[in-house]
Each structure stands twice: as structure tokens, then as C-alpha cells.
Amino acid sequence: MSQVLHTPPPTTAPPAAEEDLAALAARHGLSVSGARPSLPEYVRQLWARRHFIGAFATAKLTAQYSQAKLGQVWQVMTPLLNAAVYFLIFGVLLGTKKGIPDYVPFLVTGVFIWTFTQSSIMAGTRAISGNLGLVRALHFPRAALPVSFCLQQLQQLLFSMAALVVILLAFGVPPAASWVLAIPALVLQFTFNAGVSMIMARLGAKLPDIAQLMPFALRTWMYVSGVMWSIDQLVGKHSDLPSWVAPVLQANPAAVYIDLMRFALIDSFHASQLPDHVWLLALGWALLAGVGGFIYFWKAEETYGRG
Amino acid sequence: MADTTSMTTNPNTHPNPHPAATTGTTGSAAGGPIPTVIADRVDIVYRVNGTGAGRGSATAALNRMLRRKQTEKASGVRKVHAVRNVSFTAYRGEAIGLIGTNGSGKSTLLKAVAGLLPVENGRIYTDGQPSLLGVNAALMNDLTGERNVYLGGLAMGMSREQIKERYQDIVDFSGINEKGDFITLPMRTYSSGMAARLRFSIAAAKDHDVLLIDEALATGDRSFQKRSEARIRELRKHAGTVFLVSHSNKSIRDTCDRVLWLERGELRMDGPTDEVLKEYETFTGGPDKPKPKPKAKPKPKPTPDSAPAQSQAPDSTSGRTTASP
């Protein structure tokens, strides 16, 4: 037995000995360390780690303001201050609000929903490259990281939404049954964000430079997504625009999720301002990004430790 | 360093063919030793960006992006060959020490065994999932010790119930609460020794099939070190196989019955603790009495034909002598 079991020394191991090791491993049912699991197995592993994903997201969220005197109050204060700045610039100074009823709720909803997508993607880009220590120390399906960061942003958004409800009521928007639609809209947006984050996480792991470019790409995306202005009105005002501009602007996923939320929450935002088949669009983007991003991320699972 | 002269060949520079016998534990010996980790000619290479020399690294970076095919050195990416062609087989019930001077590739090899670092060439086969002892990376200094216990446990793959069950043990073992209710304070308020103790306690709370320890024994004060050594022995009893990286020859001697010596990424020696440590101490300028080189000097490395033939008899006997108490 011992004859077979000995390990050949490194350098010039003959082919026979090489087979020995592989055969020995096979005979005792050893598996290759660090091999990528199959897709269903990967999903199962990820599901098994759901408590870790949740705990990690919450921990990151609370750690964020733990040194501040006001503590978790900042969870609500930060988005409110953000909204105030945008109101000052776009509402008061630039006068974008012309013709938009309930401009403050319109703007604040847009800013919050956009921030959710933006921060998720930014965090996703650095999910692997910024946590190499964790990736090189512990075992878990790596998709747990981008998903966890998106979950953290979702929790952050829920704080913002609480503030948003106060703003809505303060500006005289009545509570309505349609507010329930916010939930499916958020679920779809979360799926979309998580999918894009996973794509960016893989790209960012290979090429950390992407994290430098993302703020510019995201800012451009924000300005074309109708966060502070109404795509609907822009199209109405400039009838000389080519006919494809409006549908393209409106089909952009960020615009779809923002407008869905406005439609759900603000009574003066009518269904006519939404593009056709808006729920289908929202679902399609979510599935495309969610499933595609997950598979794309999984394909490089075993390489993330390399950095 | 007089490299070539110190590259001696010990008759035992190959894996112990009867490892199960060395430990004197576990009933695995019945059907012969059971391998738990097999490294098959493993190479590990790091690539480091931003080492472009000469024309300034900005142009080097541009060059790199534009002309993908040029040599990696010219393009400013440097390869660091951290582990070269290392093969070994570890068996159930063994405690294996990894020694070598700084930067010799010990930790890198350990990470690859754990499947956390991809290998460049070769394969590593394992039985079950080897895990590194250490959760430092998952813990957050801004959270309380209590929340870190949960976070660390979840990160290691324990369930909430398991953590709840062991929570008190973890806290007691760490001794954090001996000087007041520190576990409910953020970890950033702990002294470095306290934090290290808590980290070790969390990491050691889980049982592992194959346990990889990277210099974890050197933390905390003397009494905690004793406790953690005892815990390592306990973990070792439950674990199939233990790997220990350490610069403390004493803790290697106390815990391990077999030692792999890595130097510059190459496996220089593999054998019973006493013999390898003796060579290693000579190599590093030894603590007590540097011994003259053994006679079998001509061969710089063990070769396949020499190793099996020479070593079986002495190995099995010397292996027994180093059996742990």
C-alpha cells in the first residue's frame, strides 16, 4: 500500500507518478480544491449563505455611521440633505420644475430611486476588488458580496422611503392604494441592480481601473434618466426631436424604475406619462440583468481570489 | 546565503509513507492511510500591476493596453512565482507544519490548499472543504464584539442556531469579559491583544475537516497562548488534517509530527518534525548547535528515483519517534 501512496518529489516527476497522484485522489474521492461548482449547486450554496448576506449588509450599514454623534439619524438625514441640494439647484435656480405638478415629491422620488441604482452599481464594482482580504480568507459563493452590497443599499433606500413618505404627506400628496405598487417595483429594481452589480464586480475584479470610470458613466446615465426633469415633457416641448428619442429614453431601465415609483406614489403622475408595457419592461430588465449577471459572475467564480 | 551547500538531501525528504502511524490516533489505519489533501505539482503565480520601469508607468500602462502580446515584463506587469512545483500528500490524522523564511510561499500555498487562490499549474485535491483558521477579514471594527461573533460565525458558514449555542463558549474562551463587559463595546475600543483573542476564539469555534492555521498561535498573552494551543489540539482531534504555518519552531514541535519546508517557493524538505527542523535551524543560523552538513550533499533536491528507495525504512521508524503525546 505504501508503495502506491508515496508522493513523488516535485521537479522531475515521471508521468507515471503524475498519474499516481490524480489516481490516488480519484480513488479516495477527493475533489479539486477551488473548482467552480455547477450552476444549481452555486445557487444552493448562495441560498445557504443568505443569513450571512443579510448580516453582512446590515453590519456594513450600521458600521457606516457608528462613529457619528447622531448615529443612525444620518441614515435619514443624508438622503434628505441630498434631496434639498437637488431642489435648490434644479427646482429653484434652474427652474426645471416648470409644468411639473408636485415637483418636490417628483424630484425626491427620482433622486432616491436613482441613488439606489447608482450606489448599488458603485458598490458592486468594488465588491470583489475592495474585499480581496475576505475573498482570500473565507469560503463562500462570491456572489454573496455584490448581492450583499445591493441589499445594504436597499436597506438604505428603505430609510429614505420613510423620509419620502413624510415629504409626500407634507406636500399634500394623499396616501393611495397604488402605494402598494412600490413593492413590486422595488423588487424588480433590486434584481436589476444586483445583476448589474455582479457584472461590474467581475469586470472590477479583473480591471480595478473601472472603479475610476464609473462615476462619470453613472453621472451621464443620471442626466439622461429624467431624475430631475420629466422625459414626457421634454418630448412634448421639442417636437423636432427624432421620433426614436422618446421611446429610447423611456425604455432606459433607470427611467423605467423611477417613473414606476412616481406613478405608484404621486397621484398627479398619470399612467399616460409611462411608456407602453412599462411593467413588462421593468420585468424584462430585471430578468435580463439578474439572470445574465448571475451567470456571467459565476463563470469566473474560481478566479476571484487572484485579484 | 550559501544556497547550494545548504541544499542538502536528507534521506527523508519525501512524504511519510506511514503517516497514520505517526499520530497514533484515529482508527483510519485499518484500510491504510487515507489522503485528505493532495498537491500535484502546484505552481502559483501572482501578477502585479504598476511595476513598469523606465519610461514612466503611465506610458507603460498605455502600452500594456494597446499591445497585449508583448512580454509581461516590458508591459509593466510583473509575475511573482510564489510557489513552484510543489507536491505532497497529507493523510487523515496528520498535523503538518509549514516552515520557511519570510516570503517563501507558505501562506500562499495554504491559501491555494483552501481553494482561495487559483493555481497556475498543477492540481490540489482535497477531501471536503479545507478552511483557513481566521475570520479577521469578515469582522468590522465599528461593530460590537457580540455582533462580530455572529458575523464571523455566519461568514464561516455556521448557522445562527449553531452560533447561539456556542456564543457563551466563544466569549468565555476569549476572556474578553474577564475585565468587565467588553463584549458589548465596539471592537475598535479593544486593545490589539484583546481583539486578537476574540478573533481567534471566533475562528476556533467551528470544527473543520481540514484545518489550515496561519500563525494563529502567536496571539494574546501567555495564558491565552496556552489555552489556544490546547484548543488547537482539540480541533486537531476533530479535524482530519491540520496544517500549521509558524515561525515558532517550538509551536511546530509541539503540534506537528510532519514538516514541509518551503524555500523560495520550492519544497526543500518533507519529513518528520525533528529532522526537518534540525536542517532548518542549521539553514537559518540555528539556535543551539549548527551541525555540519550531512554527507548526502551532492543532490540539490530529492529526485524521484532516490526518494522512495532510500527513505521508507528510516522514515517509518523516525516517524514513530515523533509521535505526539
Side-chain angles (χ1 to χ4, degrees):
Chain A
M1 192 80 191
S2 57
Q3 283 287 11
V4 191
L5 284 181
H6 86 263
T7 310
T11 28
T12 47
E18 166 205 352
E19 279 171 15
D20 249 12
L21 278 183
L24 177 66
R27 192 146 41 81
H28 288 273
L30 269 58
S31 52
V32 176
S33 187
R36 168 159 49 104
S38 69
L39 195 54
E41 171 65 15
Y42 192 61
V43 174
R44 200 195 56 73
Q45 286 181 5
L46 193 62
W47 177 247
R49 288 304 183 102
R50 63 194 179 281
H51 293 299
F52 169 63
I53 296 175
F56 191 74
T58 317
K60 279 262 178 218
L61 191 72
T62 36
Q64 214 172 0
Y65 299 111
S66 74
Q67 303 218 32
K69 287 259 190 292
L70 284 177
Q72 305 304 315
V73 174
W74 285 108
Q75 306 281 11
V76 183
M77 289 279 283
T78 312
L80 281 180
L81 287 174
N82 244 323
V85 169
Y86 281 114
F87 176 69
L88 182 70
I89 293 172
F90 292 95
V92 178
L93 296 179
L94 291 180
T96 328
K97 69 174 168 188
K98 254 180 231 128
I100 303 176
D102 295 320
Y103 182 68
V104 171
F106 176 93
L107 174 73
V108 175
T109 310
V111 169
F112 286 0
I113 295 299
W114 166 256
T115 307
F116 177 35
T117 292
Q118 181 190 35
S119 336
S120 300
I121 294 176
M122 263 324 286
T125 310
R126 301 189 46 78
I128 300 295
S129 57
N131 291 283
L132 266 184
L134 193 52
V135 170
R136 286 188 186 157
L138 289 169
H139 270 285
F140 53 87
R142 306 313 183 196
L145 282 176
V147 172
S148 189
F149 280 108
C150 289
L151 195 62
Q152 182 200 344
Q153 296 306 325
L154 180 66
Q155 291 171 333
Q156 179 91 66
L157 178 71
L158 293 182
F159 278 106
S160 306
M161 294 300 271
L164 179 60
V165 167
V166 176
I167 294 176
L168 287 175
L169 296 176
F171 281 83
V173 177
S178 67
W179 283 20
V180 178
L181 289 178
I183 295 168
L186 276 187
V187 169
L188 292 177
Q189 193 193 358
F190 173 77
T191 315
F192 173 79
N193 288 351
V196 178
S197 294
M198 284 187 274
I199 295 172
M200 295 316 298
R202 175 168 169 185
L203 293 176
K206 195 90 188 129
L207 201 67
D209 310 45
I210 287 187
Q212 309 298 323
L213 289 176
M214 282 317 282
F216 303 103
L218 285 168
R219 214 177 309 157
T220 314
W221 191 5
M222 173 176 81
Y223 285 122
V224 300
S225 299
V227 174
M228 310 88 179
W229 46 275
S230 159
I231 295 179
D232 191 52
Q233 286 210 349
L234 174 92
V235 178
K237 255 184 273 176
H238 302 269
S239 42
D240 51 334
L241 283 175
S243 59
W244 54 266
V245 172
V248 167
L249 284 181
Q250 285 189 320
N252 148 20
V256 167
Y257 296 118
I258 291 172
D259 282 347
L260 266 183
M261 191 56 78
R262 284 174 180 154
F263 168 68
L265 297 181
I266 307 171
D267 62 334
S268 58
F269 193 93
H270 299 295
S272 61
Q273 290 167 270
L274 293 171
D276 299 334
H277 309 298
V278 66
W279 284 103
L280 267 182
L281 263 179
L283 180 70
W285 279 121
L287 286 180
L288 184 70
V291 175
F294 184 73
I295 293 175
Y296 180 71
F297 186 88
W298 161 76
K299 285 261 186 195
E301 172 77 4
E302 70 277 22
T303 66
Y304 292 128
R306 184 172 281 148
Chain B
M1 276 284 168
D3 249 313
T4 41
T5 48
S6 51
M7 272 216 215
T8 57
T9 305
N10 186 290
N12 296 315
T13 42
H14 82 110
N16 183 346
H18 300 296
T22 63
T23 63
T25 57
T26 68
S28 61
I34 302 173
T36 50
V37 176
I38 299 178
D40 185 6
R41 289 172 306 156
V42 169
D43 276 294
I44 302 168
V45 175
Y46 283 106
R47 285 187 180 73
V48 187
N49 273 339
T51 54
R55 294 157 295 157
S57 45
T59 47
L62 264 180
N63 246 333
R64 179 162 78 236
M65 292 164 87
L66 295 176
R67 297 158 54 188
R68 301 205 116 187
K69 279 217 160 171
Q70 65 183 320
T71 60
E72 285 187 307
K73 177 132 191 173
S75 64
V77 177
R78 278 212 7 225
K79 280 176 153 188
V80 179
H81 211 138
V83 171
R84 299 162 191 268
N85 212 349
V86 169
S87 297
F88 63 85
T89 305
Y91 300 89
R92 177 150 299 164
E94 274 188 312
I96 299 178
L98 276 169
I99 57 172
T101 47
N102 289 130
S104 53
K106 307 179 295 291
S107 301
T108 304
L109 181 61
L110 216 56
K111 289 201 167 80
V113 169
L116 299 163
L117 252 185
V119 297
E120 186 85 1
N121 293 311
R123 280 273 167 82
I124 296 179
Y125 304 93
T126 60
D127 176 26
Q129 180 63 74
S131 28
L132 275 178
L133 183 66
V135 287
N136 308 6
L139 305 185
M140 295 179 202
N141 271 329
D142 283 329
L143 299 181
T144 63
E146 182 182 359
R147 288 195 61 181
N148 270 311
V149 171
Y150 276 90
L151 187 61
L154 288 171
M156 292 189 301
M158 292 164 77
S159 70
R160 278 190 188 281
E161 291 70 38
Q162 278 175 319
I163 302 169
K164 216 169 275 172
E165 219 169 83
R166 299 191 186 182
Y167 176 77
Q168 204 49 49
D169 291 341
I170 296 172
V171 176
D172 290 348
F173 185 85
S174 71
I176 292 289
N177 272 353
E178 280 163 12
K179 294 192 178 71
D181 184 22
F182 277 101
I183 198 74
T184 50
L185 283 180
M187 252 176 87
R188 74 180 118 86
T189 62
Y190 294 7
S191 74
S192 56
M194 280 166 74
R197 287 163 69 152
L198 183 62
R199 284 195 292 260
F200 178 83
S201 309
I202 298 172
K206 195 178 176 237
D207 294 326
H208 307 270
D209 295 337
V210 177
L211 181 62
L212 314 169
I213 306 166
D214 198 344
E215 309 201 303
L217 293 178
T219 60
D221 49 32
R222 185 71 203 117
S223 71
F224 186 72
Q225 278 181 30
K226 287 210 151 161
R227 248 188 301 169
S228 46
E229 274 164 27
R231 177 69 184 139
I232 296 278
R233 269 193 288 277
E234 203 178 307
L235 281 173
R236 199 191 129 185
K237 238 181 280 164
H238 295 291
T241 310
V242 174
F243 285 84
L244 171 66
V245 167
S246 180
H247 284 292
S248 154
N249 290 356
K250 186 180 171 304
S251 65
I252 295 265
R253 218 168 245 131
D254 288 349
T255 343
C256 306
D257 34 46
R258 175 178 162 195
V259 170
L260 305 180
W261 175 13
L262 284 176
E263 209 53 59
R264 300 187 175 196
E266 291 175 10
L267 184 60
R268 167 170 267 187
M269 252 181 110
D270 174 357
T273 305
D274 279 348
E275 290 169 31
V276 180
L277 276 186
K278 206 182 288 167
E279 286 301 317
Y280 180 64
E281 277 163 5
T282 315
F283 176 76
T284 52
D288 307 329
K289 29 191 170 167
K291 286 182 66 179
K293 308 283 170 300
K295 283 144 226 163
K297 184 165 100 187
K299 283 176 217 130
K301 281 181 119 288
T303 53
D305 39 295
S306 68
Q310 284 181 321
S311 51
Q312 260 154 33
D315 206 23
S316 51
T317 49
S318 57
R320 256 178 257 279
T321 60
T322 58
S324 57

